[in-house]
Amino acid sequence: MKLEQKQLEVIENYLNWKELVQVDLKNEVLDHMATSIENRMEEDEVAFSMAFKDVVLIWEKELTNYSSPLIGLLFSGPKMLIYKCVKELKRIYLRTGVIALFITILFTILSRKYDSTFFLEFSRNLFGYAYFLAIGIIVILHFAIRRTKTKSSFSYLFKTQAVGFAFFYIIYNPLITDMFGVFKSGEYVFIAFLAYTVMLVFSFSFFTLYKAHLKVLNTINA
């Protein structure tokens, strides 16, 4: 038994009310709920309203409002959305950490081969201008995502991380401040350079999230 368009709209309105507006998850849940309701109506011979209420109870836990410290407590959404974003963010952090560690080790080797004053000044300019560039890229990609007029789990994750990292790129920018005291002391500090490098490497993840968002759109429009 196939649901009528008005019945599908009831399910869609419910998902909108639960703030599951990210198309990659919304379409998937809508399809699962519709199938479950169809089966319930056919097998148990109940009306749509009764089947809908039963299926809503099943999905209530997954769609309850939730937040995660990893995403940022200022942001919340359906539990299944946050769980998916946390899983993706963990992969990003792992990849970022490995690459940043490798680059920092390379920095350590180079710091021993070159004059410390020259190396630290070069590093200061490198991180400083790269952070300014990262802010510009975040702004450009933000508006590029908005122009698509579509929300996905990847655009949601982009938004949550862009706010924090854009702030970091300002307050930790060595051309503005010396939060770790590295450049004032004139000494190379591994942990400080690792922190600078992690923030720099993470900026490439915004491209990854943007491309993933576009992939969702291409899948939907295919």
Side-chain angles (χ1 to χ4, degrees):
M1 177 183 294
K2 288 292 182 180
L3 297 182
E4 299 176 359
Q5 183 60 37
K6 289 184 178 180
Q7 294 170 329
L8 291 174
E9 289 176 359
V10 170
I11 303 174
E12 186 174 4
N13 289 337
Y14 167 74
L15 295 179
N16 289 337
W17 177 65
K18 300 298 287 186
E19 297 183 353
L20 187 69
V21 295
Q22 294 73 24
V23 292
D24 49 330
L25 291 177
K26 181 180 179 180
N27 290 350
E28 181 181 347
V29 174
L30 178 61
D31 183 61
H32 282 302
M33 290 186 71
T35 300
S36 297
I37 291 172
E38 289 170 354
N39 292 338
R40 182 95 163 80
M41 292 173 64
E42 185 174 351
E43 294 172 5
D44 299 336
E45 297 182 351
V46 296
F48 169 79
S49 58
M50 180 62 70
F52 174 72
K53 289 179 180 179
D54 291 342
V55 172
V56 162
L57 289 176
I58 296 173
W59 283 93
E60 184 64 28
K61 186 177 179 181
E62 289 294 322
L63 298 175
T64 188
N65 194 55
Y66 189 76
S67 62
S68 167
L70 192 63
I71 298 293
L73 295 178
L74 293 176
F75 299 96
S76 62
K79 193 173 186 178
M80 65 183 306
L81 167 66
I82 302 301
Y83 270 28
K84 180 179 180 179
C85 289
V86 166
K87 186 177 180 180
E88 180 65 27
L89 193 56
K90 285 180 178 178
R91 283 198 292 263
I92 292 174
Y93 277 140
L94 178 61
R95 182 173 63 246
T96 297
V98 171
I99 296 174
L101 181 61
F102 175 79
I103 294 175
T104 307
I105 291 173
L106 182 61
F107 271 128
T108 304
I109 296 172
L110 293 175
S111 69
R112 295 171 180 173
K113 289 187 176 183
Y114 294 95
D115 175 72
S116 60
T117 303
F118 167 78
F119 179 78
L120 289 174
E121 183 61 21
F122 170 79
S123 301
R124 177 173 173 270
N125 288 311
L126 174 65
F127 287 119
Y129 288 115
Y131 287 178
F132 283 134
L133 179 61
I135 293 173
I137 291 172
I138 288 174
V139 172
I140 291 171
L141 293 180
H142 166 72
F143 284 106
I145 290 174
R146 286 192 62 179
R147 280 199 299 271
T148 65
K149 297 181 180 181
T150 305
K151 295 181 179 181
S152 70
S153 57
F154 299 104
S155 68
Y156 178 85
L157 185 55
F158 181 101
K159 179 183 68 175
T160 62
Q161 300 309 296
V163 173
F165 274 88
F167 181 68
F168 289 156
Y169 292 141
I170 294 175
I171 65 171
Y172 288 103
N173 192 309
L175 294 178
I176 301 175
T177 65
D178 189 8
M179 296 293 287
F180 300 114
V182 176
F183 303 104
K184 288 182 181 179
S185 67
E187 295 182 4
Y188 177 85
V189 181
F190 182 87
I191 296 299
F193 267 74
L194 179 60
Y196 279 126
T197 307
V198 165
M199 287 187 284
L200 178 59
V201 174
F202 190 92
S203 65
F204 291 93
S205 299
F206 291 107
F207 279 112
T208 303
L209 294 174
Y210 173 67
K211 289 192 294 184
H213 174 71
L214 293 183
K215 186 176 180 180
V216 168
L217 298 186
N218 291 334
T219 302
I220 293 173
N221 296 327

